[in-house]
Amino acid sequence: MTSPLPAFAAIVVAAGSGSRAGGAKQWRRLGGKPVVRWSVEALLEAGAGDLVVVIAPGSEVELGAALAGLSGWRSAPGGATRADSVRNGLEALGGPDARPVLIHDAARPLLGVDVIRRLLEALPGVDGVLPALPVADSLRRATDGLVSGSVERDSLWRAQTPQAFRYRTIVDAYAAWPVDKVAADEAAVVERAGGDVLIVEGDPRLMKLTFPEDFAMAEALIPRRTRVGQGFDAHRWGPGSSVWLCGVEIAHDQTLIGHSDADAGLHALTDALLGAMGDGDIGDHFPPTDPQWKGVSSDRFLAHAVERLRARGGRLVNVDVTLICERPRVKPHRQAMRERLADLLSLPLDAVSVKATTTEAMGFTGRGEGLAAQAVATIDLPA
Ligand code: MG
């Protein structure tokens, strides 16, 4: 069993404009959550006793929305430079002098408790601790693309955040830092003031979101779990001239009776998606007693379930639908149904299956009283 973490406070710097990442990245969603929320949740879960998020003045509403439902944090206004922002955060935080403070960039969202533990456990012997990774690639010096020499990498490290200091150490170091000088990070400020800064093992997942393409890389690093859901639906045959199945209208001498367009394939699939998310069933989201759903196209229901999935940072992996009826013949329409579902779900065609079977004249489908549909959906969700 691991021992409890020492008491600590934290500052999350989220005041940047993120021009290189194509906009204020701290508010962008990653794995279904705003970027800044990842760090704040990680620090709160690790037991941060006080947490200040430094934001650009005027961003309070965005921060409140990004951290909705979380408690134990407050905000402070950022300054003209990163150093000013951290100073403001330290002022808002206050002492006690000996309390460890972790100072973290919101742009490094995938913060794990292991790094926090290594920082806090190393701090008592030194003035500051920073997580860093060794440089694996060989390094070259080049001018205009032409190599002009090698750089010895053995003593080089890639510094990350959070970085840990005792409150008084970092406050005093910043007080001694020249106003017009740009600080690479807090460790540089403490080093300049004569402090000893120790390196502990960082984490590749703590990558900094700098360029737009970094978001795709970070998404791929988020742990996910696979979920499966299934759905079933049946509707009764009645007088009509066409039937909707899996989003495709088929000419037929009967139609399916229902409150909406009675597309049992889409209804079963919607339930499969909701089931995979543990998010109720189609009747919870679209009550059949509600007149606004009368006669509507069932792709609305499926789109709603997909939207719920996206909002949670989930991804659809594949779907498989089985239609059970004696008539109409489904096979001539299967390809059109797959293409329609692939379009509705933004899935490649080979991740969408539509199958059909009869029940050999047995049961309600066999007697031609109704049509049934079954569906399975596989999704993955951030763990
Ligand atoms: Mg139905």
Side-chain angles (χ1 to χ4, degrees), residues 233-235 262-264 267:
D233 194 30
H235 282 268
D263 187 331
H267 294 183

Side-chain angles (χ1 to χ4, degrees), residues 159-218:
Q160 301 182 315
T161 74
Q163 299 179 357
F165 314 91
R166 275 173 296 282
Y167 180 76
R168 181 49 54 191
T169 308
I170 184 67
V171 167
D172 288 349
Y174 261 115
W177 183 261
V179 175
D180 54 351
K181 197 169 156 67
V182 175
D185 55 14
E186 282 58 59
V189 174
V190 169
E191 287 157 37
R192 189 181 181 279
D196 292 326
V197 177
L198 185 74
I199 282 175
V200 294
E201 183 189 350
D203 185 342
R205 286 169 298 186
L206 257 178
M207 61 176 285
K208 187 173 186 180
L209 299 174
T210 306
F211 302 104
E213 57 270 28
D214 294 341
F215 276 79
M217 175 107 65

Side-chain angles (χ1 to χ4, degrees), residues 61-321:
V61 172
E62 273 167 304
L63 181 66
L67 303 184
L70 298 179
S71 57
W73 61 272
R74 53 215 165 86
S75 69
T81 64
R82 182 194 152 83
D84 290 338
S85 292
V86 174
R87 281 193 187 98
N88 290 356
L90 288 165
E91 197 174 309
L93 200 58
D97 286 354
R99 176 157 70 165
V101 179
L102 266 52
I103 302 177
H104 184 52
D105 280 335
R108 296 183 187 271
L110 303 182
L111 172 59
V113 71
D114 290 351
V115 169
I116 296 173
R117 175 177 296 278
R118 287 196 282 273
L119 292 166
L120 292 172
E121 289 181 349
L123 184 60
V126 289
D127 299 305
V129 189
L130 71 84
L133 296 171
V135 178
D137 300 314
S138 62
L139 296 176
R140 293 289 185 282
R141 190 171 283 114
T143 309
D144 296 332
L146 196 63
V147 174
S148 58
S150 292
V151 178
E152 183 58 51
R153 71 178 176 213
D154 288 355
S155 62
L156 295 181
W157 292 81
R158 297 191 286 141
Q160 301 182 315
T161 74
Q163 299 179 357
F165 314 91
R166 275 173 296 282
Y167 180 76
R168 181 49 54 191
T169 308
I170 184 67
V171 167
D172 288 349
Y174 261 115
W177 183 261
V179 175
D180 54 351
K181 197 169 156 67
V182 175
D185 55 14
E186 282 58 59
V189 174
V190 169
E191 287 157 37
R192 189 181 181 279
D196 292 326
V197 177
L198 185 74
I199 282 175
V200 294
E201 183 189 350
D203 185 342
R205 286 169 298 186
L206 257 178
M207 61 176 285
K208 187 173 186 180
L209 299 174
T210 306
F211 302 104
E213 57 270 28
D214 294 341
F215 276 79
M217 175 107 65
E219 282 282 354
L221 294 174
I222 296 171
R224 290 176 173 271
R225 59 210 155 121
T226 300
R227 302 278 205 93
V228 173
Q230 63 92 30
F232 175 84
D233 194 30
H235 282 268
R236 185 181 295 277
W237 289 114
S241 58
S242 71
V243 58
W244 284 92
L245 289 170
C246 293
V248 173
E249 188 174 25
I250 299 172
H252 189 49
D253 55 9
Q254 285 182 299
T255 194
L256 291 172
I257 309 300
H259 188 63
S260 63
D261 64 6
D263 187 331
L266 289 189
H267 294 183
L269 190 49
T270 302
D271 260 355
L273 262 174
L274 293 171
M277 288 185 277
D279 195 12
D281 65 23
I282 194 169
D284 296 333
H285 295 265
F286 302 97
T289 50
D290 188 335
Q292 69 170 311
W293 310 122
K294 187 163 173 52
V296 303
S297 170
S298 295
D299 52 22
R300 289 268 299 278
F301 306 154
L302 187 62
H304 172 80
V306 170
E307 181 50 43
R308 304 273 295 183
L309 178 67
R310 301 264 147 81
R312 286 173 60 175
R315 298 186 297 213
L316 196 50
V317 178
N318 77 302
V319 298
D320 185 12
V321 181

